[in-house]
Amino acid sequence: DGCIKAVGQADVIRSQFSEAMFERIIDCSGKCVLPGLVDAHTHPVWAGDRVHEFAMKLAGASYMEIHQAGGGIHFTVEHTRKATEDELFTTLQHRLGRMLRAGSTLVECKSGYGLNLETELKMLRVIERAQKSMDIGISSTYCGAHAVPKGKTATEATDDIINNHLPKLRELKLSGEIHVNNIDVFCEKGVFDLESTRRILQAGKDIGLQINFHGDELHPMKSAELGAELGARAISHLEEVSDEGIVAMARAKCAAVLLPTTAYMLRLKQPQARKMLEEGVIVALGSDFNPNAYCFSMPMVMHLACVNMKMSMNEALAAATINAAYALGKSDTHGSLEVGKQGDLLIINSSRWEHLIYQFGGHEALINYVIVKGKVVYENGRCETMSSY
């Protein structure tokens, strides 16, 4: 059934299964077995390359300045609206394949580059196709409130989402055509304010979606306090979170999905991982893969979390496995090697697991096998010809 049957000392396992027949045995001598990595925040469905914006950013343009110059989300929205479902699916397959080879076995995937009902549904159908046809696990997120569409006010956009998008989504969920897990809003100054965010998140919760949203990224918005009050499963970014917000999230067992790639690439203030951990917040990690933060690799995210956010390697590994699974409401089935949980694991070509974090960008020659539901979905031949370092 793709679930873990036993975990324990080698001799105990050997005697317990001495009569059993196995389709395949992998010799892990001198290697490490780890849970599959969980990427708790990605935007992988979009069309239109934004590589030219990187030069603008390096020259000092801010996120909002690029946005106002016709770049940013609106550039991607324009191209995503024009793209066919098949085109979007082909690029999504390619991106998820790269994530899988970098060790991610469960990934949260957002819509949000449509901003109209038709394109948002197109994106969700593309995610649904990937869920059905690919080995990688997917948690699907409706993020129609990613930006205010051109020609609309935030209030008009909010009304459209509540009166048109969500009822349609509920209908498609009930008929089994689309399986959406989470609702997301970009709660930010100049985007969706606290009241609009509250209305959308509550409406999403009312149709059975988990609340998992962007908050307190560029400006302090009291998003963390709102999330705690609404029973949010997780809040992402939190670079500008207040001390009160941190305490509220700890009390509410609301996970903080921290994205060290975004702070690094946009040269923002780093999220306060240490303070959150000390206050008892469940800290998870995500790559924030999107045209603005082009990173597929959770090992690199863990490395950045340790160096820039002062997390320990143990904390980073927990944040990229069991805590990230918790942020997606999946910690009972994913994120750790325990009997009864889904058999998602990595085998790395080193006797010390820390190499997965210590080597910055070295995962291409370090991850030997990626296993999903007990099936080898990626085997890296290069590892067999190389020593473990």
Side-chain angles (χ1 to χ4, degrees):
D1 60 1
C3 293
I4 296 169
K5 287 287 165 282
V7 179
Q9 295 295 332
D11 51 354
V12 177
I13 297 282
R14 276 198 194 99
S15 64
Q16 191 183 343
F17 291 91
S18 57
E19 306 297 311
M21 295 292 290
F22 294 95
E23 280 171 38
R24 181 169 186 184
I25 294 172
I26 298 173
D27 182 359
C28 296
S29 307
K31 300 180 194 255
C32 277
V33 183
L34 293 165
L37 303 176
V38 180
D39 189 341
H41 184 122
T42 81
H43 300 258
V45 185
W46 45 269
D49 193 0
R50 269 162 56 190
V51 67
H52 61 282
E53 286 182 14
F54 193 49
M56 293 166 74
K57 270 186 255 164
L58 297 178
S62 74
Y63 177 85
M64 281 305 186
E65 281 164 356
I66 290 169
H67 193 64
Q68 278 145 15
I73 289 177
H74 288 303
F75 177 89
T76 303
V77 167
E78 201 181 311
H79 287 78
T80 306
R81 284 179 178 180
K82 286 177 191 159
T84 67
E85 210 166 299
D86 285 342
E87 284 165 349
L88 291 173
F89 179 65
T90 302
T91 52
L92 174 63
Q93 262 185 317
H94 172 74
R95 290 163 189 163
L96 290 176
R98 286 179 71 177
M99 290 177 186
L100 188 73
R101 293 190 292 279
S104 292
T105 54
L106 173 62
V107 176
E108 184 260 8
C109 296
K110 301 178 190 292
S111 71
Y113 290 116
L115 310 186
N116 60 24
L117 180 56
E118 181 195 345
T119 315
E120 289 296 315
L121 291 179
K122 177 171 70 176
M123 294 179 77
L124 291 170
R125 281 195 302 270
V126 166
I127 294 168
E128 184 82 14
R129 268 173 80 178
Q131 268 174 328
K132 290 196 166 89
S133 64
M134 294 188 73
D135 294 309
I136 198 165
I138 292 173
S139 178
S140 170
T141 301
Y142 163 74
C143 184
H146 194 198
V148 178
K150 283 182 176 173
K152 277 198 167 89
T153 65
T155 308
E156 287 165 347
T158 301
D159 291 341
D160 184 36
I161 287 165
I162 292 168
N163 300 328
N164 299 312
H165 292 214
L166 291 174
K168 185 65 182 170
L169 215 52
R170 181 174 176 272
E171 185 190 308
L172 294 170
K173 253 170 71 79
L174 288 172
S175 69
E177 280 175 70
I178 287 180
H179 299 83
V180 184
N181 307 100
N182 317 289
I183 180 144
D184 191 353
V185 174
F186 188 14
C187 181
E188 186 54 73
K189 199 172 169 183
V191 192
F192 290 92
D193 66 13
L194 209 60
E195 195 41 46
S196 299
T197 300
R198 176 196 294 279
R199 289 179 58 210
I200 296 168
L201 293 176
Q202 186 60 55
K205 188 179 179 181
D206 292 344
I207 65 163
L209 299 176
Q210 291 181 132
I211 296 176
N212 189 336
F213 72 111
H214 291 62
D216 295 327
E217 179 185 356
L218 305 172
H219 299 91
M221 298 286 294
K222 294 203 182 308
S223 303
E225 291 88 329
L226 174 69
E229 182 198 325
L230 293 177
R233 168 57 66 163
I235 305 170
S236 291
H237 283 292
L238 300 164
E239 287 86 351
E240 297 288 343
V241 69
S242 69
D243 292 351
E244 296 76 16
I246 291 174
V247 171
M249 285 180 73
R251 277 203 202 111
K253 294 189 165 53
C254 171
V257 179
L258 304 184
L259 309 166
T261 44
T262 319
Y264 165 72
M265 290 184 202
L266 294 181
R267 296 169 173 158
L268 300 174
K269 186 166 87 179
Q270 292 288 333
Q272 300 177 70
R274 286 257 52 86
K275 187 171 174 58
M276 290 179 194
L277 289 161
E278 281 152 21
E279 293 285 354
V281 175
I282 297 160
V283 172
L285 289 170
S287 66
D288 195 16
F289 173 79
N290 75 78
N292 198 36
Y294 208 99
C295 175
F296 294 107
S297 164
M298 285 304 289
M300 290 180 85
V301 169
M302 289 189 283
H303 180 101
L304 288 171
C306 293
V307 175
N308 290 342
M309 300 196 314
K310 302 182 173 61
M311 291 173 77
S312 72
M313 286 192 281
N314 290 37
E315 286 165 345
L317 183 66
T321 52
I322 189 69
N323 291 2
Y326 174 88
L328 302 177
K330 298 248 187 196
S331 52
D332 53 342
T333 52
H334 293 71
S336 57
L337 303 181
E338 296 180 69
V339 173
K341 283 198 170 184
Q342 193 165 299
D344 291 5
L345 29 141
L346 307 183
I347 298 169
I348 67 164
N349 193 34
S350 169
S351 59
R352 297 207 41 168
W353 70 267
E354 292 93 338
H355 271 276
L356 194 61
I357 297 177
Y358 162 62
Q359 295 189 18
F360 190 47
H363 58 270
E364 275 103 343
L366 190 64
I367 294 175
N368 201 163
Y369 297 89
V370 180
I371 294 165
V372 175
K373 294 184 185 168
K375 182 178 101 180
V376 175
V377 295
Y378 171 60
E379 188 170 344
N380 187 352
R382 275 186 296 182
C383 291
E384 301 308 329
T385 57
M386 296 174 68
S387 74
S388 63
Y389 302 104

